[in-house]
Amino acid sequence: MARVAVVTGGTRGIGRAICEGLAKAGYKVAANYGGNDAVAEAFSRETGIRSYCFDVGNFAAVEDGIRRITADLGPVEILVNNAGITRDGTLQRMNFEQWNAVIQTNLSSCFNMCRAVIDGMRERNFGRIVNIGSINGQAGQYGQVNYAAAKSGIHGFTKALAQEGAGKGITVNAIAPGYIDTEMVRAVPPNVLEKIVARIPVGRLGHAEEIARGVLFLVADDAGFVTGSTLSINGGQHMY
Ligand code: CAA
């Protein structure tokens, strides 16, 4: 039986590439999204992958979302926590809403999602969780105290949960993407982005599919000995 995979923020950018990669590999995939119905409808039409609207930063909404997915596809065996937003700005200009939105969506989402699936994974003695961190959680980034804190939090969360899941067949790993050619990165002012790309040894932005490739490796049945690790996919920008 094909395993059921849920990808948060799955209808666009890196999440979309992960959904498509998983579906192509034979998994049953559910893509979560936060509210852009038009994009989600186009995604589902083009890929044949179902999309589910709920706010990953809201505990009750996540419980309900996972209930709907389980009813449609079966118990969730693979979870990819990919949903993320930016609200960039230097600390002296950042307000509490910009701080909180990023912490809720990027970090609390991991707690909410994992909490909703962990009991089932423990009962079935199998689970694969991949959390999408960031180079900016590893190295910090000017103008991103909120995002860097959330992504750095993801890396700690991953290592703690990996220890808790290890005896129950549940692996928990992180991927730390560098700058990938998505809408999020294209929103960085061009003069700033140019300087960032100049510091990438491979000499270009990454492709979303290059992150999906890492996810496929980590979620495989025979990847059971890989847990608590961070896979950096960043073109050599930060060797950690
Ligand atoms: N280090 C040191 N100083 C810097 C700097 C840096 N990295 N970046 C900018 N500065 C300096 C500038 O040189 C400038 O100094 P002067 O005033 O002396 O000239 C000053 O800071 C103000 O810079 P800006 O004009 O850029 O300031 P701003 O207020 O207009 O914008 C900002 C600030 C919003 C943070 C903007 O610099 C920015 O968007 N930076 C990019 C942040 C970034 O990389 N975000 C990543 C988004 S993608 C993502 O997060 C995905 C992922 O996981 C990788």
PDB file of all heavy atoms in Angstrom, residues 103-118:
ATOM      1  N   ILE A 103       6.960  33.281  13.753  1.00  0.00           N
ATOM      2  CA  ILE A 103       7.144  32.213  14.749  1.00  0.00           C
ATOM      3  C   ILE A 103       5.976  31.224  14.683  1.00  0.00           C
ATOM      4  O   ILE A 103       6.168  29.998  14.705  1.00  0.00           O
ATOM      5  CB  ILE A 103       7.288  32.805  16.181  1.00  0.00           C
ATOM      6  CG1 ILE A 103       8.527  33.696  16.277  1.00  0.00           C
ATOM      7  CG2 ILE A 103       7.317  31.694  17.239  1.00  0.00           C
ATOM      8  CD1 ILE A 103       9.870  33.001  16.094  1.00  0.00           C
ATOM      9  N   GLN A 104       4.765  31.734  14.571  1.00  0.00           N
ATOM     10  CA  GLN A 104       3.586  30.853  14.520  1.00  0.00           C
ATOM     11  C   GLN A 104       3.599  29.965  13.276  1.00  0.00           C
ATOM     12  O   GLN A 104       3.419  28.760  13.357  1.00  0.00           O
ATOM     13  CB  GLN A 104       2.288  31.687  14.495  1.00  0.00           C
ATOM     14  CG  GLN A 104       1.926  32.337  15.810  1.00  0.00           C
ATOM     15  CD  GLN A 104       1.741  31.326  16.929  1.00  0.00           C
ATOM     16  OE1 GLN A 104       1.150  30.281  16.729  1.00  0.00           O
ATOM     17  NE2 GLN A 104       2.277  31.635  18.088  1.00  0.00           N
ATOM     18  N   THR A 105       3.777  30.606  12.135  1.00  0.00           N
ATOM     19  CA  THR A 105       3.654  29.861  10.871  1.00  0.00           C
ATOM     20  C   THR A 105       4.849  28.945  10.623  1.00  0.00           C
ATOM     21  O   THR A 105       4.688  27.840  10.115  1.00  0.00           O
ATOM     22  CB  THR A 105       3.506  30.850   9.688  1.00  0.00           C
ATOM     23  OG1 THR A 105       2.361  31.655   9.943  1.00  0.00           O
ATOM     24  CG2 THR A 105       3.345  30.134   8.366  1.00  0.00           C
ATOM     25  N   ASN A 106       6.031  29.401  10.986  1.00  0.00           N
ATOM     26  CA  ASN A 106       7.222  28.619  10.636  1.00  0.00           C
ATOM     27  C   ASN A 106       7.617  27.623  11.717  1.00  0.00           C
ATOM     28  O   ASN A 106       8.157  26.561  11.397  1.00  0.00           O
ATOM     29  CB  ASN A 106       8.416  29.545  10.369  1.00  0.00           C
ATOM     30  CG  ASN A 106       8.193  30.482   9.189  1.00  0.00           C
ATOM     31  OD1 ASN A 106       7.073  30.657   8.731  1.00  0.00           O
ATOM     32  ND2 ASN A 106       9.243  31.104   8.717  1.00  0.00           N
ATOM     33  N   LEU A 107       7.373  27.956  12.987  1.00  0.00           N
ATOM     34  CA  LEU A 107       7.867  27.091  14.065  1.00  0.00           C
ATOM     35  C   LEU A 107       6.735  26.405  14.841  1.00  0.00           C
ATOM     36  O   LEU A 107       6.739  25.175  14.982  1.00  0.00           O
ATOM     37  CB  LEU A 107       8.746  27.895  15.036  1.00  0.00           C
ATOM     38  CG  LEU A 107       9.341  27.117  16.210  1.00  0.00           C
ATOM     39  CD1 LEU A 107      10.193  25.936  15.733  1.00  0.00           C
ATOM     40  CD2 LEU A 107      10.182  28.042  17.100  1.00  0.00           C
ATOM     41  N   SER A 108       5.743  27.157  15.313  1.00  0.00           N
ATOM     42  CA  SER A 108       4.653  26.528  16.069  1.00  0.00           C
ATOM     43  C   SER A 108       3.931  25.510  15.186  1.00  0.00           C
ATOM     44  O   SER A 108       3.394  24.517  15.680  1.00  0.00           O
ATOM     45  CB  SER A 108       3.673  27.580  16.588  1.00  0.00           C
ATOM     46  OG  SER A 108       4.340  28.443  17.479  1.00  0.00           O
ATOM     47  N   SER A 109       3.939  25.756  13.890  1.00  0.00           N
ATOM     48  CA  SER A 109       3.342  24.812  12.934  1.00  0.00           C
ATOM     49  C   SER A 109       3.955  23.414  13.071  1.00  0.00           C
ATOM     50  O   SER A 109       3.251  22.410  12.946  1.00  0.00           O
ATOM     51  CB  SER A 109       3.554  25.318  11.515  1.00  0.00           C
ATOM     52  OG  SER A 109       4.948  25.489  11.290  1.00  0.00           O
ATOM     53  N   CYS A 110       5.246  23.359  13.336  1.00  0.00           N
ATOM     54  CA  CYS A 110       5.907  22.046  13.458  1.00  0.00           C
ATOM     55  C   CYS A 110       5.366  21.317  14.678  1.00  0.00           C
ATOM     56  O   CYS A 110       5.102  20.106  14.622  1.00  0.00           O
ATOM     57  CB  CYS A 110       7.418  22.208  13.573  1.00  0.00           C
ATOM     58  SG  CYS A 110       8.173  22.752  12.063  1.00  0.00           S
ATOM     59  N   PHE A 111       5.198  22.035  15.779  1.00  0.00           N
ATOM     60  CA  PHE A 111       4.597  21.411  16.964  1.00  0.00           C
ATOM     61  C   PHE A 111       3.175  20.954  16.634  1.00  0.00           C
ATOM     62  O   PHE A 111       2.800  19.792  16.892  1.00  0.00           O
ATOM     63  CB  PHE A 111       4.566  22.392  18.154  1.00  0.00           C
ATOM     64  CG  PHE A 111       3.774  21.844  19.310  1.00  0.00           C
ATOM     65  CD1 PHE A 111       4.308  20.869  20.135  1.00  0.00           C
ATOM     66  CD2 PHE A 111       2.464  22.252  19.531  1.00  0.00           C
ATOM     67  CE1 PHE A 111       3.560  20.326  21.184  1.00  0.00           C
ATOM     68  CE2 PHE A 111       1.714  21.713  20.572  1.00  0.00           C
ATOM     69  CZ  PHE A 111       2.264  20.744  21.395  1.00  0.00           C
ATOM     70  N   ASN A 112       2.373  21.847  16.065  1.00  0.00           N
ATOM     71  CA  ASN A 112       0.966  21.531  15.803  1.00  0.00           C
ATOM     72  C   ASN A 112       0.824  20.304  14.903  1.00  0.00           C
ATOM     73  O   ASN A 112       0.034  19.396  15.180  1.00  0.00           O
ATOM     74  CB  ASN A 112       0.267  22.730  15.136  1.00  0.00           C
ATOM     75  CG  ASN A 112       0.235  23.952  16.034  1.00  0.00           C
ATOM     76  OD1 ASN A 112       0.390  23.846  17.254  1.00  0.00           O
ATOM     77  ND2 ASN A 112       0.038  25.127  15.445  1.00  0.00           N
ATOM     78  N   MET A 113       1.595  20.284  13.830  1.00  0.00           N
ATOM     79  CA  MET A 113       1.490  19.183  12.863  1.00  0.00           C
ATOM     80  C   MET A 113       2.006  17.878  13.461  1.00  0.00           C
ATOM     81  O   MET A 113       1.366  16.820  13.342  1.00  0.00           O
ATOM     82  CB  MET A 113       2.268  19.514  11.580  1.00  0.00           C
ATOM     83  CG  MET A 113       1.685  20.630  10.741  1.00  0.00           C
ATOM     84  SD  MET A 113       0.067  20.269  10.004  1.00  0.00           S
ATOM     85  CE  MET A 113       0.454  18.909   8.915  1.00  0.00           C
ATOM     86  N   CYS A 114       3.166  17.936  14.090  1.00  0.00           N
ATOM     87  CA  CYS A 114       3.737  16.704  14.658  1.00  0.00           C
ATOM     88  C   CYS A 114       2.829  16.162  15.756  1.00  0.00           C
ATOM     89  O   CYS A 114       2.617  14.944  15.854  1.00  0.00           O
ATOM     90  CB  CYS A 114       5.140  16.960  15.197  1.00  0.00           C
ATOM     91  SG  CYS A 114       6.355  17.231  13.894  1.00  0.00           S
ATOM     92  N   ARG A 115       2.293  17.069  16.565  1.00  0.00           N
ATOM     93  CA  ARG A 115       1.415  16.634  17.661  1.00  0.00           C
ATOM     94  C   ARG A 115       0.186  15.893  17.115  1.00  0.00           C
ATOM     95  O   ARG A 115      -0.305  14.944  17.716  1.00  0.00           O
ATOM     96  CB  ARG A 115       0.989  17.854  18.489  1.00  0.00           C
ATOM     97  CG  ARG A 115       0.274  17.525  19.773  1.00  0.00           C
ATOM     98  CD  ARG A 115       1.206  16.831  20.753  1.00  0.00           C
ATOM     99  NE  ARG A 115       0.483  16.223  21.881  1.00  0.00           N
ATOM    100  CZ  ARG A 115      -0.115  15.042  21.849  1.00  0.00           C
ATOM    101  NH1 ARG A 115      -0.104  14.301  20.734  1.00  0.00           N
ATOM    102  NH2 ARG A 115      -0.736  14.564  22.901  1.00  0.00           N
ATOM    103  N   ALA A 116      -0.290  16.343  15.958  1.00  0.00           N
ATOM    104  CA  ALA A 116      -1.505  15.752  15.381  1.00  0.00           C
ATOM    105  C   ALA A 116      -1.272  14.373  14.758  1.00  0.00           C
ATOM    106  O   ALA A 116      -2.220  13.608  14.587  1.00  0.00           O
ATOM    107  CB  ALA A 116      -2.095  16.704  14.335  1.00  0.00           C
ATOM    108  N   VAL A 117      -0.033  14.055  14.417  1.00  0.00           N
ATOM    109  CA  VAL A 117       0.226  12.764  13.750  1.00  0.00           C
ATOM    110  C   VAL A 117       1.044  11.783  14.595  1.00  0.00           C
ATOM    111  O   VAL A 117       1.143  10.606  14.255  1.00  0.00           O
ATOM    112  CB  VAL A 117       0.921  12.934  12.369  1.00  0.00           C
ATOM    113  CG1 VAL A 117       0.076  13.796  11.433  1.00  0.00           C
ATOM    114  CG2 VAL A 117       2.323  13.523  12.512  1.00  0.00           C
ATOM    115  N   ILE A 118       1.626  12.276  15.688  1.00  0.00           N
ATOM    116  CA  ILE A 118       2.622  11.454  16.385  1.00  0.00           C
ATOM    117  C   ILE A 118       2.017  10.205  17.035  1.00  0.00           C
ATOM    118  O   ILE A 118       2.634   9.130  17.020  1.00  0.00           O
ATOM    119  CB  ILE A 118       3.428  12.294  17.417  1.00  0.00           C
ATOM    120  CG1 ILE A 118       4.763  11.633  17.734  1.00  0.00           C
ATOM    121  CG2 ILE A 118       2.645  12.526  18.712  1.00  0.00           C
ATOM    122  CD1 ILE A 118       5.803  11.782  16.697  1.00  0.00           C
TER     123      ILE A 118
END
